[in-house]
Amino acid sequence: MIDRAHFAPGDIVRHRLFDFRGVVFDIDPVFANSDEWYEAIPEAMRPVKEQPFYHLLAENEDLSYIAYVSQQNLVADGDHGPVDHPQIDAMFDGLEHGRYRLRAIHRH
């Protein structure tokens, strides 16, 4: 079991297995999505529920979307470049030193 989050809102991350990256905008300390969503993941790749899960403003070469990803499947993004997602400006104040500054209205 992984008990503490390795990433914070504003961090830019990359998926370990799939070719996409994104910005963390929220964190669940353990899995908090639907059972249907969880069961749709192939069993051999299904992450354990008892770890942080991250909500990301994600992008790949083709599109922007919202992703929900387990901590075990994320690594820090080494590019530190901007993420091209249409909701970035609504959630963040800009990119500074390789991470986004969360707008005050969205801080917990």
Side-chain angles (χ1 to χ4, degrees), residues 22-108:
V23 181
V24 174
F25 70 89
D26 200 7
I27 305 164
D28 294 331
V30 294
F31 180 81
N33 206 332
S34 70
D35 288 333
E36 292 79 20
W37 184 93
Y38 188 75
E39 296 298 324
I41 300 169
E43 192 170 348
M45 298 177 63
R46 201 173 292 155
V48 297
K49 290 183 176 181
E50 294 77 23
Q51 65 178 310
F53 276 73
Y54 297 86
H55 299 262
L56 308 177
L57 298 179
E59 67 173 359
N60 63 26
E61 274 190 20
D62 301 320
L63 64 136
S64 298
Y65 53 97
I66 303 291
Y68 190 66
V69 185
S70 65
Q71 182 160 280
Q72 75 186 54
N73 284 322
L74 291 176
V75 294
D77 180 72
D79 294 344
H80 302 294
V83 172
D84 184 25
H85 193 285
Q87 291 178 284
I88 289 284
D89 291 338
M91 299 282 270
F92 299 97
D93 275 329
L95 183 63
E96 186 175 285
H97 305 295
R99 61 186 314 268
Y100 283 89
R101 290 184 317 276
L102 194 62
R103 288 186 180 274
I105 195 169
H106 298 296
R107 293 186 192 133
H108 296 293

